[in-house]
Amino acid sequence: MAKESGSSKIEMLEISNEAMAEAQSSKIEMLEINNEAMAEAQSSKTVTMKPAEAEESKTETQKITDEESKNVPIAATEEESKKLSITKVEESKNAATATTEGEKEEAKVSLKTLDGVTFEVEAWIAKEMETVQAYIDDTSADTSAAIAIPLHNVAGRELARMVEYCKEHRRASVSAGNLKEFEERFAAALNLYEMKDLIIAANYLNTKKLLESLSRCIAKAIKNKSVEFVRDYFGVTNDYTTEEEAQYRETNAWAFRNVDEDSRN
Amino acid sequence: MAFECLNNTEVSQNLAHFVANPGIGIVEPNQLSPKSFSEGVATSKFVPDTKSESGKGVKLKGASTINSKKGIKAPVSALNQLSIPGDVIFNCGLSITDLPPALISEILNCLDPKDLGVVSCVSTIFQRVASEHGAWKQFYCERWGLPTASLAVDSGVVDDDKSWRELFVEREFRTKTFMGRYSIDVLYGHTEAVRTVFLLASAKLIFTSGYDSVVRMWDMENGLSIASSRPLGCTIRAVAADRKLLVAGGTDGFIHCWRAVEDLLHLFELRATQNQNTEVRLWGHEGPITSLALDLTRIYSGSWDTTVRVWDRLSMKCTAVLRHSDWVWALVPHNTTVASTSGSDVYVWDTNSGALVTIVHNAHVGNTYALARSHTGDFLFTGGEDGAIHMYEIVNDGYESKTWHVAAWIPHSAAVYSLAFEFPWLVSASSDGKLALIDVRKLLRISKRALGKRVSKVKHLGGDIVEPPQRMLHGFKSNLFSVDIGAERIVSGGEEGVVRIWNFTEALEIERRARALRGIRLEHRMRRRKLQTELSNKSGRSDQCSVAAKKNSVTCIWPTKRGMSGKLKA
């Protein structure tokens, strides 16, 4: 019993370290690619800071090791994204398969969730989840083929949705119209609480496309809406006093022009 | 942290127990019925552990149980085994504010400043996240650039007391001044038509030049002439300046440059008698120079010889020649690209490689005389010989750039010679003697929403539903050749040979005075109402007298000896 708990703690530390390293390397990548991603980089800084405070000094050494190992999968991801926009789906599937054949014999990865369900996903889907990909890179090929990867913070329902999203996203990314239609359909099927759980899971597994898509959907729902609508939509209790709220409304009076009045309940 | 570790330890124990059970194997995600069966079994096993947990543990476990329950079509026997305490059901109503602030910040990143302002009125949590959001700096810089230039702070240090949000809100408020009252200054000094004007807001200077071949420097606030250059020998068609360099281009094809002199209040010594090092003349163009622009390291010049030349500011040598198919009329640089108009087309070039990025054919009927660009460089505004103004958006897909037509206005009855843009106002000068002020705020928002979605852009092409210009400024009888906007002022020059400044700086003050007057009137009305109230109080006193009279009459009726004597007296 004690050994098992010790091993689970070590695994937790490794996974969190990998997530942090991923965030840092992704931050560097974002800054290089786009200026428009500055805000995202700043928000990812916030993500990075909190686990860093809780870290011990020893983990800094592990960070460097993790960062070095990250260069290969990031480059592979970039190449894959370029191929997606150029070639057809079938060719990209073959390319992904060829890439994975060099890494390990099996083309599938086992993922075990919080509630004990085991998922068999294809390697290119695991590549989308950067936390899982980092775990695979750190272990040898023989070991990863045998043992299912434990995901302590992700429930089976969220993981099923994430796998579905990755598959549909790849199929739909052939044309922009289909992609937009798919994202709207995917978001419409979720209520707010399910979306919240999915955001937490996507943040833990570092699935960037899904995280950006969900953030955009929630922001779209509250765009140009009144304060009362936003409170109802988010289920937030109004903890302002009457004077405080009046003061904030006066300060932000410039923002209330052209607000959709029909959304006021 | 300690509690979370304990929780995960228990979960791992359950997982180990789950793996050890030989009856349950690895389940494929595609097979639905075995999945639901196994989840049902797992769910039933949580129940005994729940009872033995502490209070918080019960809630957390219960939450996960309910989550797993929702997605399951479990067998009836498994459902019957479940017994959930009432406290756990209450936790289903978890709010989105349970997300860490970083993720909320990620969601708010997709909003624009107006929506952030609304969201900050929702609750204290949202107010804190929205006001500290890093996007405010991005909003400010993509509209107006760094505030050092606009605030004219000599030290060049941004005031740390103000947050980016406060700077943004203040600047947004001041954009309303162009709809308010204005005063007109008329600057006299040129003897012939003024061909070009340039407003250097950071140094509070205006530079003008024209057919009399003299470059004049004016004080922006007082409207007084500071200095004028020696005659340069030909018509000066273009002027550009920043705090380091002033350049003027003429019909003979040269570019005359003045370097800024340190310790000089007005930066440039236009009529240097002793120090000749501050002036340089660049040759290279074979035709009249029609447009000039500066950035940190380069000078850009456009000419009727169908070329745009890029000059290095340090070595003062030509580094690139961009060839067009017709006369070059206007150009605007931004970062690594420069946009130019030639004939009726609009070109966008990559400055480093000299390659053509994109081209818009036949932007106008006739020549495209005027060009302006947003501070982010994504939006182009063109004005042409047909009197129309068009708005284009440059979209970078990462592999290629495309230019989309966004909107069109026809506010003038004659050619548009010059455009100037400062978010959200676009100003156009025309040969019909008028200036048009156009608010493009809504268009910018619509276009940004459409980023990444080509379908909606295609729809937008069909319907050019655009607001008319918000304001027309009348002032001249004949041609207006040039216009510039900045520091709440609009400067224009034309054929009359005078420079006009529309000064909107006092618009807010005038508005405040008007409101104060209304307040005084309200006070007067309140006083009158008080007077009427006092009159009604006086009528109340007469009522009291009548009551006293009634009391006296009651006393007379009383049958006493004193009463009898009273009667005798009467």
Side-chain angles (χ1 to χ4, degrees):
Chain A
M1 296 295 286
K3 291 182 180 179
E4 289 172 354
S5 62
S7 64
S8 68
K9 288 183 180 178
I10 293 171
E11 287 172 349
M12 282 291 296
L13 286 176
E14 289 179 352
I15 293 172
S16 62
N17 293 338
E18 291 154 4
M20 285 176 51
E22 280 292 327
Q24 289 182 353
S25 59
S26 66
K27 183 178 71 175
I28 296 169
E29 184 182 354
M30 284 176 182
L31 287 174
E32 290 175 352
I33 292 173
N34 276 327
N35 289 330
E36 292 180 358
M38 285 177 62
E40 291 179 357
Q42 287 171 358
S43 62
S44 67
K45 278 182 186 177
T46 311
V47 176
T48 308
M49 285 299 294
K50 292 190 173 182
E53 292 173 357
E55 284 286 332
E56 298 175 356
S57 60
K58 292 181 179 178
T59 58
E60 292 177 358
T61 307
Q62 295 179 5
K63 284 186 201 175
I64 298 170
T65 307
D66 292 336
E67 286 177 357
E68 290 176 356
S69 65
K70 293 304 170 308
N71 293 327
V72 174
I74 290 170
T77 306
E78 288 179 353
E79 292 175 0
E80 186 175 354
S81 64
K82 289 182 180 177
K83 289 176 181 176
L84 279 176
S85 61
I86 295 172
T87 61
K88 296 180 180 178
V89 173
E90 295 175 356
E91 294 178 6
S92 61
K93 282 183 179 177
N94 294 331
T97 307
T99 305
T100 54
E101 282 177 358
E103 293 181 357
K104 47 183 172 291
E105 295 175 356
E106 294 184 359
K108 297 225 170 183
V109 177
S110 300
L111 304 175
K112 185 181 291 183
T113 59
L114 169 72
D115 44 1
V117 182
T118 302
F119 286 79
E120 288 282 342
V121 301
E122 297 172 6
W124 63 270
I125 292 180
K127 203 183 293 292
E128 292 286 330
M129 307 171 184
E130 297 183 5
T131 304
V132 172
Q133 184 62 39
Y135 185 92
I136 294 171
D137 292 338
D138 284 348
T139 58
S140 62
D142 297 335
T143 307
S144 64
I147 298 175
I149 300 170
L151 304 175
H152 300 298
N153 291 354
V154 181
R157 192 168 50 112
E158 276 79 41
L159 189 59
R161 286 210 175 92
M162 292 172 73
V163 171
E164 178 197 351
Y165 178 87
C166 291
K167 290 180 177 177
E168 293 286 340
H169 190 273
R170 168 176 258 199
R171 186 190 309 166
S173 62
V174 176
S175 67
N178 286 346
L179 188 59
K180 176 193 171 188
E181 184 181 342
F182 160 70
E183 288 191 354
E184 289 180 348
R185 189 162 22 89
F186 185 81
L190 302 171
N191 62 29
L192 183 60
Y193 306 124
E194 291 167 349
M195 199 172 287
K196 173 180 76 74
D197 292 333
L198 199 52
I199 284 179
I200 293 176
N203 183 55
Y204 176 71
L205 292 180
N206 212 345
T207 310
K208 290 199 204 66
K209 291 177 184 174
L210 179 58
L211 190 59
E212 290 176 4
S213 174
L214 293 174
S215 299
R216 207 180 309 124
C217 290
I218 293 184
K220 194 175 182 180
I222 63 172
K223 201 179 279 284
N224 208 33
K225 295 290 193 284
S226 66
V227 172
E228 290 78 13
F229 179 89
V230 175
R231 281 192 197 127
D232 284 340
Y233 184 77
F234 283 150
V236 176
T237 307
N238 180 17
D239 52 356
Y240 279 130
T241 61
T242 307
E243 293 81 13
E244 277 180 347
E245 181 172 357
Q247 179 191 352
Y248 279 124
R249 281 177 182 267
E250 185 177 353
T251 306
N252 295 282
W254 58 276
F256 282 87
R257 289 198 309 266
N258 299 325
V259 168
D260 187 4
E261 294 296 336
D262 293 336
S263 64
R264 192 182 302 269
N265 294 323
Chain B
M1 287 298 293
F3 176 75
E4 290 178 0
C5 290
L6 288 176
N7 185 25
N8 291 307
T9 303
E10 292 155 359
V11 170
S12 65
Q13 291 174 4
N14 291 326
L15 291 176
H17 182 66
F18 181 79
V19 169
N21 191 341
I24 301 171
I26 297 173
V27 180
E28 294 287 336
N30 293 326
Q31 300 176 6
L32 292 178
S33 56
K35 174 182 173 183
S36 62
F37 175 75
S38 63
E39 287 185 355
V41 173
T43 305
S44 62
K45 290 189 176 180
F46 280 113
V47 174
D49 296 329
T50 303
K51 294 178 181 177
S52 62
E53 289 296 329
S54 62
K56 293 182 179 179
V58 168
K59 290 183 180 179
L60 288 180
K61 289 277 187 170
S64 64
T65 305
I66 291 167
N67 286 332
S68 60
K69 180 183 177 183
K70 286 182 179 178
I72 293 172
K73 293 182 178 179
V76 177
S77 59
L79 283 176
N80 290 332
Q81 292 176 2
L82 292 175
S83 62
I84 302 168
D87 293 337
V88 179
I89 297 174
F90 179 75
N91 289 319
C92 284
L94 295 177
S95 167
I96 199 168
T97 52
D98 292 336
L99 291 172
L103 286 177
I104 297 178
S105 182
E106 188 83 22
I107 293 169
L108 298 185
N109 187 40
C110 303
L111 297 171
D112 56 4
K114 237 169 64 64
D115 293 316
L116 279 179
V118 172
V119 163
S120 63
C121 297
V122 168
S123 68
T124 52
I125 295 171
F126 278 86
Q127 198 272 332
R128 197 178 309 118
V129 176
S131 62
E132 296 172 0
H133 201 274
W136 290 108
K137 177 180 180 180
Q138 183 182 349
F139 291 145
Y140 191 101
C141 292
E142 76 185 9
R143 281 163 177 75
W144 299 291
L146 288 175
T148 304
S150 62
L151 295 180
V153 178
D154 292 333
S155 62
V157 176
V158 177
D159 192 0
D160 290 333
D161 293 336
K162 287 188 175 180
S163 65
W164 282 107
R165 182 179 174 280
E166 289 171 356
L167 285 174
F168 178 89
V169 173
E170 179 184 344
R171 192 61 186 265
E172 177 83 10
F173 183 63
R174 282 166 50 196
T175 57
K176 299 179 182 177
T177 58
F178 289 105
M179 295 299 291
R181 303 274 186 89
Y182 58 83
S183 61
I184 301 180
D185 288 332
V186 181
L187 313 183
Y188 295 97
H190 281 286
T191 57
E192 295 185 55
V194 175
R195 186 78 220 185
T196 179
V197 301
F198 188 89
L199 173 63
L200 185 59
S202 59
K204 303 181 181 178
L205 296 171
I206 297 171
F207 301 95
T208 60
S209 189
Y211 289 138
D212 59 359
S213 75
V214 173
V215 176
R216 294 181 186 273
M217 179 163 61
W218 314 80
D219 187 280
M220 183 180 74
E221 293 177 341
N222 302 321
L224 299 176
S225 176
I226 297 171
S228 62
S229 71
R230 293 171 287 103
L232 301 179
C234 61
T235 299
I236 302 298
R237 295 180 166 273
V239 170
D242 58 17
R243 297 186 68 95
K244 303 290 182 183
L245 188 66
L246 165 65
V247 293
T251 302
D252 289 349
F254 61 82
I255 302 171
H256 201 102
C257 309
W258 291 265
R259 295 187 204 271
V261 180
E262 295 183 0
D263 301 333
L264 195 61
L265 178 61
H266 300 298
L267 298 182
F268 300 105
E269 194 169 356
L270 294 185
R271 199 180 286 260
T273 54
Q274 298 176 356
N275 298 323
Q276 293 295 328
N277 292 328
T278 59
E279 293 191 31
V280 179
R281 185 167 284 200
L282 308 178
W283 295 91
H285 276 292
E286 301 167 0
I289 290 173
T290 53
S291 51
L292 284 169
L294 300 173
D295 64 11
L296 293 179
T297 57
R298 299 181 186 93
I299 303 169
Y300 302 85
S301 59
S303 171
W304 283 355
D305 64 359
T306 72
T307 64
V308 166
R309 287 177 179 263
V310 183
W311 312 76
D312 182 56
R313 284 175 65 149
L314 291 179
S315 61
M316 288 297 178
K317 292 182 178 177
C318 181
T319 60
V321 179
L322 313 175
R323 302 197 176 276
H324 299 64
S325 61
D326 204 332
W327 290 7
V328 175
W329 293 104
L331 62 83
V332 179
H334 178 263
N335 282 346
T336 58
T337 62
V338 57
S340 58
T341 64
S342 171
S344 62
D345 305 329
V346 181
Y347 295 71
V348 182
W349 306 82
D350 186 302
T351 311
N352 295 324
S353 62
L356 182 62
V357 172
T358 185
I359 183 172
V360 180
H361 291 288
N362 296 321
H364 287 269
V365 179
N367 289 313
T368 303
Y369 286 133
L371 184 65
R373 199 168 181 178
S374 67
H375 198 273
T376 57
D378 294 336
F379 297 96
L380 291 175
F381 306 93
T382 61
E385 199 167 358
D386 52 359
I389 299 170
H390 290 276
M391 179 180 178
Y392 297 91
E393 179 180 6
I394 303 173
V395 180
N396 286 310
D397 294 341
Y399 297 103
E400 59 177 350
S401 293
K402 292 183 178 177
T403 307
W404 300 90
H405 183 268
V406 176
W409 301 269
I410 311 182
H412 295 290
S413 58
V416 173
Y417 281 131
S418 180
L419 290 172
F421 179 76
E422 183 191 59
F423 183 89
W425 293 103
L426 175 70
V427 192
S428 64
S430 172
S431 71
D432 64 0
K434 300 174 184 173
L435 300 171
L437 277 161
I438 301 169
D439 186 341
V440 299
R441 192 193 316 254
K442 291 182 179 178
L443 290 171
L444 292 182
R445 182 197 289 188
I446 290 171
S447 298
K448 284 179 181 176
R449 280 185 184 175
L451 280 176
K453 300 177 180 177
R454 301 179 189 178
V455 177
S456 59
K457 285 183 182 176
V458 173
K459 292 178 182 177
H460 200 64
L461 277 177
D464 276 341
I465 304 171
V466 180
E467 290 183 2
Q470 274 70 32
R471 190 166 208 177
M472 302 292 290
L473 301 175
H474 306 261
F476 281 103
K477 296 178 179 177
S478 54
N479 288 323
L480 282 179
F481 289 131
S482 185
V483 69
D484 205 349
I485 182 174
E488 297 171 355
R489 290 171 175 83
I490 296 173
V491 188
S492 73
E495 192 167 322
E496 281 184 347
V498 298
V499 179
R500 289 179 186 262
I501 304 178
W502 281 266
N503 190 342
F504 293 85
T505 55
E506 295 182 352
L508 297 179
E509 185 179 346
I510 293 170
E511 181 68 18
R512 285 171 194 156
R513 281 194 223 138
R515 292 184 182 179
L517 286 177
R518 291 176 204 153
I520 292 172
R521 291 175 196 164
L522 286 178
E523 288 179 6
H524 286 310
R525 291 175 188 172
M526 293 298 294
R527 289 178 187 175
R528 292 171 193 168
R529 291 178 187 173
K530 288 180 181 177
L531 290 178
Q532 293 175 0
T533 308
E534 290 175 359
L535 290 177
S536 64
N537 288 334
K538 290 179 180 178
S539 64
R541 290 175 186 176
S542 64
D543 293 337
Q544 292 177 359
C545 294
S546 64
V547 170
K550 291 178 181 178
K551 289 181 179 178
N552 291 331
S553 64
V554 169
T555 309
C556 295
I557 298 170
W558 196 260
T560 59
K561 293 181 179 180
R562 293 179 182 177
M564 293 298 294
S565 64
K567 281 187 177 179
L568 289 175
K569 288 181 180 179

